[in-house]
Amino acid sequence: MSEEIAVVTRSENGKVWIKSLQNSACGGCAQQASCATATLAKWLPPREFPVDAGVDLNVGDKVCVSIDASALLLGSVLLYLSPLLLMLAGVGLADRLLPQAMADDWLPEIALSVLLLAFALIHRLQTRLLPLFVLRTRITGKV
């Protein structure tokens, strides 16, 4: 199980909405100016997630949230491995179906196009896939 500290942002219908607190480790790092993680943390706002609460919580409470390791593995496969596999499948299919001269010229463009389409598909499906991960997330207690 992976644990994270989060803050309760709202509560409705027996669910609480939590938002992860920013890690303060980036503030003291010497590589912050050239680090992609620090740059992404500045540009991407933290998202709220609904979680079933087993304890009485109020807005502003800090909680310890744990997520099952299998959900993290599933998310990693979905976000990283599946686009690459789709790209390789698309290139293999294009190599078989297109004439050899055309395939040699267009395979890089086809690979990039299929990869971008896979990312777009994952982005569109994220609202349907998010409940898979939320179901495996639970609040383990107040901090």
Side-chain angles (χ1 to χ4, degrees):
M1 290 239 168
S2 178
E3 293 185 344
E4 180 79 25
I5 303 296
V7 65
V8 177
T9 57
R10 60 185 160 137
S11 176
E12 53 189 48
N13 300 332
K15 288 188 183 251
V16 293
W17 292 75
I18 59 170
K19 182 173 23 175
S20 178
L21 296 175
Q22 289 287 59
N23 249 348
S24 60
C26 290
C29 182
Q31 301 298 323
Q32 184 178 5
S34 63
C35 178
T37 302
T39 303
L40 281 175
K42 290 177 191 172
W43 282 81
L44 297 176
R47 294 185 59 180
E48 293 181 329
F49 296 98
V51 179
D52 290 325
V55 292
D56 187 30
L57 297 171
N58 298 315
V59 174
D61 286 347
K62 290 182 182 176
V63 293
C64 183
V65 180
S66 63
I67 186 168
D68 190 19
S70 63
L72 288 175
L73 184 60
L74 177 65
S76 298
V77 167
L78 178 69
L79 293 176
Y80 298 111
L81 187 60
S82 62
L84 291 175
L85 291 176
L86 286 171
M87 181 188 69
L88 291 173
V91 167
L93 187 63
D95 191 40
R96 282 189 161 269
L97 297 178
L98 292 176
Q100 190 62 37
M102 186 183 281
D104 290 342
D105 292 338
W106 287 95
L107 281 184
E109 289 84 358
I110 291 170
L112 181 61
S113 298
V114 173
L115 184 64
L116 292 175
L117 284 172
F119 285 139
L121 179 67
I122 289 171
H123 179 71
R124 291 202 54 157
L125 292 176
Q126 72 180 355
T127 55
R128 292 186 187 132
L129 296 174
L130 187 58
L132 293 175
F133 301 107
V134 172
L135 291 175
R136 297 180 183 180
T137 304
R138 62 185 174 94
I139 295 176
T140 57
K142 289 184 181 181
V143 176

